[in-house]
Amino acid sequence: MKKKLLLFSLSFLLGICLIVSHFVFDKSSDPKISPEYQSFTEGIGVNIDSRTSEEDLQNIVDAGFKWVRVDMTWENIESKKESYDFEKSGYDKLNKSLKEKRLKPYYIFDYSNKLYESNRSIMTSDGLKAYMEFVDVVTKRYKNQNAIWEIWNEPNIEMFWNPQPSYKQYSLLVKKVAPIIKKNDPNSRVVAPALAGIHQESLKWLQQFFKQGTLKYIDAVSVHPYRFTNPEDALKDYKELKIIIRQYTNRDIPIISGEWGYSILNTPTQHLTEMQQADYVIRMFLVNAEEGIPISILYNWKNNGFDPNNKEHNFGVLWYSGKPKLSYLAIQTFTSRLDGYKFSRAIKYGRDDTYILEFQNSDKQKLLSFWTTGTSYSFLFPLDSGKGKLYSMLGGMQNIEWDRKVELNISSSPNYLVID
């Protein structure tokens, strides 16, 4: 009897050990994009292209960006069947520079290749096989960089998957490609589908994508929350998206903001000034912090044209000439002020259109960021007596002290109060 009890006890302990080892060592069950404690600014990135210069990359580092998102364009790499040119296409040089500057790569496998497909999509067995081979070659070449690999870009719209978006064909692509990436680069993260917009139409497409069983193949759901309205409107969109994800998986699948920005415009129907762009970009990052979005990629690094009335030309935080916009200065202030801080809580105080976010670092030091979507105003905010530094969005600083209440001047531009 004692022997049976001993054997049962040993078997029970062995079973517990096996279960624990599964959760500790099985990376496939851990889709986390970032470490448990990480400053929010560690997830800030910007979209570039493969021709981005060394000077630009250094300016990206100086702005405080940690990630760069860039197209890994199939046609540029394989211009002849089964011949891959990484030197002429510029990717070897770029990847080397990213390593030297400690910028993390967020690579997008896009798009189709005229050698195999007539349209911008993967619809044939030959095209799928060739795309899989392309992914295999690339991930073997650029592995071991803790990269993010994204499968395609915005396949839910005709511009990027034509002649007609197909969640079935795209789902098949993800199922075929994700295991290749995981095998070749197990420390990387696979994300999809780079959804264009978060609205009723795009979410219906996304649910069809999830119904194909694709969530078990990816580590995060990437979305592009573009809008002409305030960045704060994305808060409700993120909440709806989280509910949908939970309907299709028990895994903790994060949402990442893979591409989002605001274009300076001056047209009869739309108007956004340089200062407003700076406001919106920083509020975009802060909204993502509040919603626990671990990666936030800004579109775009530099304007890609001269026309001030062309929306596509004016998303950059630099002008086409390379001169920085106010957005660049605002981002530099944001990343330096919030370096080392994690989002703690949202505080409701003042008007309904007021946002106050509390951040805290590993030393328990607190920082408040505050702004409004309405008109500017001031109020006395209850706070334990103390002192600190007040920073404007563009970097101006003043030392202040307060007794039980501190006066906050609220405007559309987020400010930062660092409490000593």
Side-chain angles (χ1 to χ4, degrees):
M1 185 65 179
K2 289 182 179 179
K3 286 183 178 179
K4 287 183 178 180
L5 286 173
L6 179 61
L7 287 171
F8 175 81
S9 298
L10 289 172
S11 299
F12 179 79
L13 287 172
L14 179 60
I16 293 295
C17 290
L18 287 172
I19 292 170
V20 171
S21 67
H22 169 77
F23 285 105
V24 173
F25 298 111
D26 181 11
K27 295 297 183 183
S28 65
S29 67
D30 179 15
K32 289 180 181 177
I33 296 293
S34 58
E36 194 63 32
Y37 186 92
Q38 174 176 283
S39 164
F40 174 73
T41 57
E42 289 298 314
I44 299 297
V46 66
N47 196 87
I48 64 170
D49 61 48
S50 61
R51 301 163 295 175
T52 302
S53 68
E54 288 286 328
E55 182 182 2
D56 275 322
L57 289 176
Q58 186 56 54
N59 287 333
I60 286 170
V61 172
D62 293 342
F65 290 112
K66 306 298 183 183
W67 291 84
V68 291
R69 180 175 183 262
V70 59
D71 296 295
M72 189 65 69
T73 309
W74 184 11
E75 284 189 332
N76 291 348
I77 294 171
E78 187 184 359
S79 57
K80 296 179 181 179
K81 281 193 175 184
E82 300 180 9
S83 177
Y84 305 94
D85 190 336
F86 293 96
E87 185 175 348
K88 187 177 179 181
S89 60
Y91 288 105
D92 274 354
K93 180 181 178 182
L94 173 64
N95 197 71
K96 181 175 181 290
S97 296
L98 297 185
K99 285 182 176 179
E100 291 172 349
K101 299 185 186 307
R102 297 184 178 181
L103 286 166
K104 300 173 187 177
Y106 183 135
Y107 285 133
I108 322 158
F109 289 117
D110 55 15
Y111 291 99
S112 55
N113 192 318
K114 292 294 185 184
L115 297 173
Y116 305 99
E117 295 282 353
S118 58
N119 294 310
R120 183 180 267 187
S121 55
I122 304 294
M123 302 295 289
T124 68
S125 57
D126 286 345
L128 178 58
K129 182 179 178 181
Y131 186 90
M132 291 167 63
E133 182 63 27
F134 160 64
V135 170
D136 185 52
V137 170
V138 171
T139 49
K140 284 177 178 175
R141 191 176 190 88
Y142 299 130
K143 62 183 179 181
N144 299 327
Q145 294 179 228
N146 295 311
I148 290 177
W149 298 101
E150 189 164 53
I151 303 171
W152 213 267
N153 176 67
E154 301 188 348
N156 60 308
I157 59 175
E158 284 185 24
M159 179 183 294
F160 296 115
W161 192 285
N162 53 59
Q164 181 68 36
S166 170
Y167 61 82
K168 287 185 178 180
Q169 291 296 330
Y170 176 69
S171 297
L172 176 62
L173 189 70
V174 171
K175 291 177 181 180
K176 293 291 186 180
V177 166
I180 296 172
I181 302 171
K182 286 293 187 180
K183 179 182 177 182
N184 292 344
D185 195 12
N187 293 322
S188 67
R189 293 294 179 263
V190 180
V191 306
L195 189 75
I198 308 178
H199 45 72
Q200 291 307 308
E201 185 178 348
S202 67
L203 289 177
K204 285 180 182 178
W205 186 95
L206 188 66
Q207 289 186 73
Q208 293 299 326
F209 171 67
F210 289 165
K211 286 179 181 178
Q212 310 306 306
T214 44
L215 275 173
K216 65 182 179 182
Y217 290 88
I218 62 176
D219 299 313
V221 173
S222 56
V223 297
H224 299 170
Y226 287 108
R227 62 202 58 232
F228 292 115
T229 58
N230 291 330
E232 295 76 15
D233 293 342
L235 289 168
K236 65 179 186 303
D237 295 336
Y238 282 136
K239 287 178 173 58
E240 183 176 358
L241 179 53
K242 288 176 181 178
I243 291 171
I244 291 173
I245 291 172
R246 286 196 293 269
Q247 292 173 355
Y248 294 94
T249 183
N250 291 323
R251 295 170 64 210
D252 182 17
I253 301 285
I255 299 166
I256 67 175
S257 177
E259 184 182 314
W260 187 9
Y262 284 87
S263 175
I264 294 177
L265 289 171
N266 189 13
T267 69
T269 57
Q270 297 174 29
H271 183 73
L272 194 70
T273 66
E274 185 179 348
M275 187 64 181
Q276 285 173 318
Q277 184 200 39
D279 288 347
Y280 280 15
V281 164
I282 300 305
R283 284 158 52 183
M284 177 191 81
F285 285 139
L286 290 166
V287 162
N288 284 351
E290 180 176 352
E291 277 302 305
I293 308 300
I295 303 291
S296 297
I297 304 296
L298 174 66
Y299 187 89
N300 198 19
W301 170 241
K302 184 186 288 187
N303 280 6
N304 52 12
F306 285 108
D307 185 356
N309 296 323
N310 185 321
K311 180 184 76 171
E312 299 302 325
H313 287 179
N314 287 282
F315 276 95
V317 297
L318 269 63
W319 297 101
Y320 187 74
S321 64
K323 180 182 176 182
K325 298 180 185 177
L326 292 176
S327 297
Y328 181 91
L329 182 56
I331 291 165
Q332 199 170 47
T333 303
F334 172 81
T335 56
S336 59
R337 295 284 64 81
L338 273 81
D339 182 35
Y341 285 86
K342 287 183 67 175
F343 172 73
S344 176
R345 62 183 177 130
I347 301 171
K348 281 295 180 186
Y349 199 86
R351 296 188 323 216
D352 289 341
D353 58 14
T354 297
Y355 293 80
I356 305 173
L357 303 187
E358 180 187 274
F359 292 81
Q360 189 169 290
N361 63 18
S362 57
D363 295 325
K364 306 300 182 184
Q365 185 177 24
K366 293 181 180 180
L367 176 152
L368 299 179
S369 180
F370 47 92
W371 72 96
T372 179
T373 58
T375 56
S376 300
Y377 76 112
S378 299
F379 65 78
L380 293 175
F381 180 72
L383 194 63
D384 290 343
S385 298
K387 61 181 180 178
K389 293 179 174 61
L390 181 64
Y391 294 88
S392 72
M393 186 183 73
L394 298 181
M397 188 276 287
Q398 65 179 108
N399 292 301
I400 63 170
E401 295 186 22
W402 58 89
D403 182 15
R404 295 191 297 276
K405 292 182 180 181
V406 61
E407 184 179 8
L408 298 183
N409 296 307
I410 313 288
S411 73
S412 62
S413 302
N415 288 338
Y416 315 102
L417 174 60
V418 180
I419 304 170
D420 291 342

